Amino acid sequence: MLSIEHFYLLLALFLLYAGLRNLREKRFAHAAFWVLIAVLFAGGKFVLDAAKTGDKIPAQLAGAAVIALALLATRMRREHIDEAPAAQRLASAMRLGHQLFVPALIIPVVTVLIVLFGAKLAIGGTPVFGEGSITLIGLALACVVATFAAIHITRERPAAALGEGRRLLDTMGWAALLPIVLATLGGVFAASGVGDAVASIVSMLIPADSRLACVLAYGLGMVLFTVIMGNAFAAFPVMTAGIGLPLLIEQHGAAPAILGSIGMLTGYCGTLMTPMAANFNLVPAALLELDDPNAVIRAQLPTAIPLLLVNLALMYWLAFR
């Protein structure tokens, strides 16, 4: 039976590998950073189980590790990591052609198939997939399948996948953690009552009985919070708890599924506009060695703004039908 914990352990092993490679190369800050994260991923279930029994020490140790990660991040520097020569990479790309897209396409296809049919799969009456979100399990399994597909297509050794994965991870550095950290931040904000505070402020500033005003406040609020926090996953629980649920769903009768899906997409318009989304906007500029670190954001603005306007219109027309 596959559970999300199996994939967390697999990820922990990869992070440990990245840490040991950095240790061998005397990049001590990088080594400590990835090893600490590996320990957190591997011991996450233990921390949660201990918290349920009232033992706070593992959670406190995990908190200390997070503080240590923040300190280590300040010591991490982007350095050139050797890769295959440009001529060799070009020749490989010409040889493989469009086959290079197959592993990338496998990830969404396998994920969707597992989400749709995974809950029905069983062997001898035992479900194939166990505890955890079926979507996360599907995505994790899809990534593993795509890795083996890439190895088969390129005819490379499995060690090449580990080496290239580690090279990309070190190139991104601490920014690789931003999606996880920012999504967690959104949950913390929601649990600490930020959503209620937002609802109070919005109720004072806009006419709460106006459907259009509430839609604009929700959509633009998603964009603004995403720009500030760098990720729509962080903005979504705050804005939905503050505006979406009490004003649009409960007061004006908006359809939750439509409002939530379009609202999340609206938030990602903010992702296209902010340097806080470093893993999306700053890391690609660094990888491509662009002179302007904000070049990616400038290129995305002509898409982000029209998409925002279209999303607001769709939200107003579809969520209340």
Side-chain angles (χ1 to χ4, degrees), residues 247-271:
L247 299 181
L248 288 171
I249 295 175
E250 295 180 351
Q251 182 170 328
H252 292 286
I258 296 174
L259 183 71
S261 58
I262 300 178
M264 179 67 81
L265 182 58
T266 303
Y268 277 110
C269 295
T271 300

Side-chain angles (χ1 to χ4, degrees), residues 18 35 40 48 88 90-91 125 129 164 173 181 195 198 208 233-234 320:
V35 169
L40 289 172
L48 290 175
Q88 181 180 334
L90 179 60
F129 301 107
E164 287 301 302
V181 175
V198 169
F233 280 113
F320 303 98

